[in-house]
Amino acid sequence: DGGITQSPKYLFRKEGQNVTLSCEQNLNHDAMYWYRQDPGQGLRLIYYSQIVNDFQKGDIAEGYSVSREKKESFPLTVTSAQKNPTAFYLCASSPRGLAGGGEQYFGPGTRLTVT
Amino acid sequence: QQPVQSPQAVILREGEDAVINCSSSKALYSVHWYRQKHGEAPVFLMILLKGGEQKGHEKISASFNEKKQQSSLYLTASQLSYSGTYFCGTATMEYGNKLVFGAGTILRVKS
């Protein structure tokens, strides 16, 4: 089955620790995205990548880092510099990127709690 | 800049219709609509592109007024399964490769 997988579904960390969230897609999509959602709010873009080995900052990139070494993988690291890391993190992909008129599909998300 | 969605919330009875609006102050390249149920990821409903192209689910209809930078999502003969939060995401002509999402419209359908 084709799709976007994120693991784990729930993640708990102590303050001060870096944590990496996984995102894998087997849809052969070119573009991938990371969003953050806080309770009762919309989605905010953290980072996005349109091709392998290239990525751009979104609207709230501070305290986060990404890599895109393979087309199918786009991991997100939440560093200790992120002041309020507790949130629902959503990965998405698009067949040819939004600027190419492509739609965007979301993975199931990872709920991160930092205490 | 975040698009503005209206209404913030709406309650319907099964079979009734609803319209959800999304408005931007920027020139838009595309508008994307999603539905999210509590605790789950957003599900793609429709994309509307500048120039008139649309892609999405058969049972969903929407419009995109390019002059006014507004889009509307039409939910007809609502079912209980339509309940959730609806988000629009907009890509501007300046930044066509990323979406900015509205705050969402909560829809509740009652039997």
Side-chain angles (χ1 to χ4, degrees):
Chain A
D1 285 337
I4 305 168
T5 57
Q6 292 186 244
S7 61
K9 188 172 182 180
Y10 298 96
L11 190 55
F12 299 88
R13 280 292 184 271
K14 294 290 187 185
E15 202 173 307
Q17 294 179 338
N18 291 355
V19 59
T20 297
L21 310 184
S22 166
C23 177
E24 304 277 333
Q25 55 97 2
N26 60 4
L27 301 167
N28 199 33
H29 285 180
D30 290 328
M32 296 185 74
Y33 309 82
W34 274 106
Y35 292 90
R36 169 187 173 135
Q37 187 175 36
D38 293 286
Q41 299 190 31
L43 297 95
R44 292 183 291 169
L45 182 65
I46 304 172
Y47 268 99
Y48 62 104
S49 167
Q50 299 183 92
I51 56 172
V52 175
N53 293 321
D54 188 47
F55 49 83
Q56 289 79 39
K57 293 181 179 180
D59 300 318
I60 55 166
E62 186 176 349
Y64 300 97
S65 65
V66 294
S67 62
R68 187 91 186 274
E69 297 177 0
K70 299 186 294 182
K71 187 175 185 177
E72 58 270 23
S73 179
F74 191 40
L76 173 75
T77 297
V78 184
T79 74
S80 57
Q82 168 50 233
K83 294 180 181 177
N84 297 298
T86 294
F88 188 34
Y89 289 88
L90 289 153
C91 177
S93 69
S94 178
R96 55 183 182 278
L98 300 173
E103 63 275 29
Q104 182 178 239
Y105 299 96
F106 285 90
T110 292
R111 206 166 291 276
L112 174 66
T113 302
V114 177
T115 57
Chain B
Q1 191 163 355
Q2 186 180 40
V4 177
Q5 286 187 235
S6 63
Q8 288 184 313
V10 59
I11 300 174
L12 300 174
R13 292 204 176 274
E14 272 186 296
E16 292 182 336
D17 301 339
V19 180
I20 300 173
N21 301 301
C22 176
S23 177
S24 175
S25 60
K26 303 283 189 181
L28 297 178
Y29 172 68
S30 63
V31 181
H32 303 234
W33 286 98
Y34 293 86
R35 176 172 59 221
Q36 185 178 31
K37 294 189 180 283
H38 184 69
E40 299 180 5
V43 172
F44 169 75
L45 297 177
M46 177 163 284
I47 176 176
L48 303 102
L49 297 166
K50 181 178 171 62
E53 186 179 350
Q54 296 186 2
K55 289 179 281 187
H57 291 272
E58 290 178 0
K59 295 187 177 180
I60 300 289
S61 65
S63 64
F64 178 18
N65 186 324
E66 294 178 32
K67 287 185 179 179
K68 294 185 176 181
Q69 309 308 325
Q70 293 176 349
S71 178
S72 296
L73 184 70
Y74 304 99
L75 302 170
T76 57
S78 60
Q79 306 170 17
L80 293 175
S81 62
Y82 287 12
S83 293
T85 302
Y86 289 77
F87 292 100
C88 71
T90 55
T92 64
M93 292 297 292
E94 184 178 3
Y95 298 103
N97 53 7
K98 62 178 186 177
L99 292 181
V100 179
F101 283 86
T105 295
I106 299 171
L107 176 71
R108 182 182 168 201
V109 181
K110 301 194 298 184
S111 56

